[in-house]
């Protein structure tokens, strides 16, 4: 498969192949991950979109995504000058994919997910930011580099969890305050340990204590345990 950005953006067949390679139970999380790349670039995320994330995170709530799609669509119709409009359209597709994965009746078009990759990359054009383009492309291709995930749901879920922890450490924890000026891999050496704590069912205090030790002893920063507890809560929410 060609994976150059312009191919993914303009060739829906590539988007189709990427989507069809995903296990059904991973599709909402993958779609939500792609959408979430824009969270740090959208000044005021519409409530109808921010409400979609908790639905994605809870399989028992996937059926609610149909109603959430309607809310997102209504927002778009009532705010026709909203920019970037492709971001709203992308959120609609994510809601559709999430509802379809629930197995409920009256599903949306089965090819809704085929357009996510293309539309997400088109949405990045509004921001003209290379970092965002790379973040979006990385999320799109997250499962495409390893075919084993299609037949191994546990491995796919663990891989997604690992990625989400990496995101939280980079975007939310960032004890040095450098996530807008340095390479993306600054904290990646800490991800395996935090991932291991989550898999071992460690509680928020254990995770927070480890984060606090990393930022104060390893990095020499003056972090607070209160902030680390907040980060630990974020991590446990994506478990």
């Amino acid at each position: 498969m060609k994976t150059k950005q312009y191919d993914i953006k303009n060739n829906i067949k590539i988007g189709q192949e990427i989507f069809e390679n995903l296990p059904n139970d991973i599709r909402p999380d993958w779609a939500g991950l792609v959408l979430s790349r824009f969270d740090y670039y959208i000044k005021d995320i519409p409530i109808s979109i921010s409400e979609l994330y908790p639905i994605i995170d809870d399989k028992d709530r996937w059926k609610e995504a149909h109603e959430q799609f309607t809310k997102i669509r209504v927002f778009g119709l009532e705010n026709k000058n909203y920019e970037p409009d492709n971001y709203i359209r992308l959120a609609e597709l994510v809601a559709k994919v999430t509802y379809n994965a629930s197995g409920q009746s009256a599903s949306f078009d089965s090819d809704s997910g085929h357009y996510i990759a293309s539309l997400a990359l088109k949405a990045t054009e509004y921001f003209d930011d290379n970092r965002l383009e790379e973040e979006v492309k990385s999320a799109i291709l997250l499962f495409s580099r390893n075919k084993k995930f299609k037949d191994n749901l546990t491995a796919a879920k663990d891989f997604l969890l690992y990625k989400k922890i990496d995101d939280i450490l980079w975007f939310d924890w960032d004890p040095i305050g450098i996530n807008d000026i340095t390479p993306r891999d600054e904290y990646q050496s800490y991800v395996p340990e935090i991932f291991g704590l989550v898999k071992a069912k460690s509680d928020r205090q254990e995770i927070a204590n480890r984060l606090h030790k990393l930022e104060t002893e390893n990095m020499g920063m003056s972090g607070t345990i209160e902030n680390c507890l907040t980060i630990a809560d974020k991590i446990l929410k994506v478990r």
Side-chain angles (χ1 to χ4, degrees):
M1 179 197 303
K2 294 182 179 180
T3 56
K4 291 183 179 179
Q5 180 181 325
Y6 65 82
D7 286 328
I8 300 172
K9 187 186 298 184
N10 298 305
N11 190 338
I12 299 302
K13 288 185 178 180
I14 295 178
Q16 176 182 354
E17 185 176 345
I18 290 171
F19 184 75
E20 294 298 333
N21 189 54
L22 299 170
N24 183 70
D25 280 1
I26 288 295
R27 288 173 177 175
D29 285 308
W30 170 81
L33 184 69
V34 174
L35 180 65
S36 71
R37 302 303 86 185
F38 295 89
D39 287 358
Y40 300 91
Y41 292 83
I42 302 292
K43 185 176 181 181
D44 295 305
I45 299 175
I47 294 176
S48 56
I49 294 179
S50 62
E51 289 177 343
L52 179 59
Y53 290 120
I55 294 173
I56 292 171
D57 289 339
D58 185 350
K59 184 177 180 179
D60 291 336
R61 296 187 62 194
W62 287 356
K63 59 182 177 292
E64 298 175 28
H66 198 294
E67 180 180 355
Q68 206 61 38
F69 163 80
T70 301
K71 292 180 180 179
I72 297 169
R73 172 59 61 86
V74 169
F75 174 86
L77 292 174
E78 293 179 347
N79 298 270
K80 293 185 177 180
N81 293 324
Y82 185 92
E83 294 289 348
D85 61 326
N86 280 334
Y87 171 70
I88 301 298
R89 294 171 59 203
L90 175 63
E92 290 179 355
L93 290 178
V94 174
K96 287 182 176 182
V97 164
T98 302
Y99 179 77
N100 285 356
S102 73
Q104 298 290 308
S105 59
S107 61
F108 293 103
D109 294 338
S110 61
D111 65 349
S112 296
H114 299 177
Y115 299 90
I116 287 178
S118 172
L119 195 57
L121 285 171
K122 288 177 180 177
T124 67
E125 295 174 352
Y126 175 82
F127 301 93
D128 192 25
D129 187 296
N130 290 334
R131 285 174 178 257
L132 175 60
E133 290 178 0
E134 288 305 312
E135 283 287 335
V136 169
K137 186 164 65 172
S138 176
I140 288 170
L141 298 174
L142 189 63
F143 293 100
S144 298
R145 299 185 178 98
N146 196 325
K147 300 295 184 181
K148 73 176 183 180
F149 293 125
K150 185 173 177 60
D151 301 313
N152 191 333
L153 183 59
T154 299
K157 287 184 175 180
D158 280 348
F159 190 57
L160 188 61
L161 172 61
Y162 191 95
K163 172 61 177 172
K164 288 183 176 181
I165 292 173
D166 176 44
D167 281 348
I168 292 171
L169 296 189
W170 177 247
F171 289 112
D172 300 298
W173 184 44
D174 186 26
I176 308 177
I178 53 173
N179 64 14
D180 59 342
I181 58 174
T182 59
R184 181 69 162 80
D185 61 358
E186 182 66 30
Y187 307 120
Q188 288 180 348
S189 63
Y190 304 126
V191 179
E193 182 177 2
I194 303 303
F195 174 79
L197 289 174
V198 173
K199 292 296 291 181
K201 301 188 184 305
S202 299
D203 61 24
R204 66 191 293 261
Q205 190 66 57
E206 291 178 278
I207 295 173
N209 287 344
R210 185 54 188 153
L211 290 172
H212 189 245
K213 186 174 182 179
L214 286 172
E215 63 185 21
T216 55
E217 296 185 14
N218 291 48
M219 303 178 204
M221 306 301 294
S222 56
T224 67
I225 191 64
E226 289 77 16
N227 181 63
C228 290
L229 283 167
T230 298
I231 300 303
D233 287 337
K234 283 180 175 287
I235 290 171
L236 290 174
K237 280 183 179 179
V238 302
R239 179 169 56 186

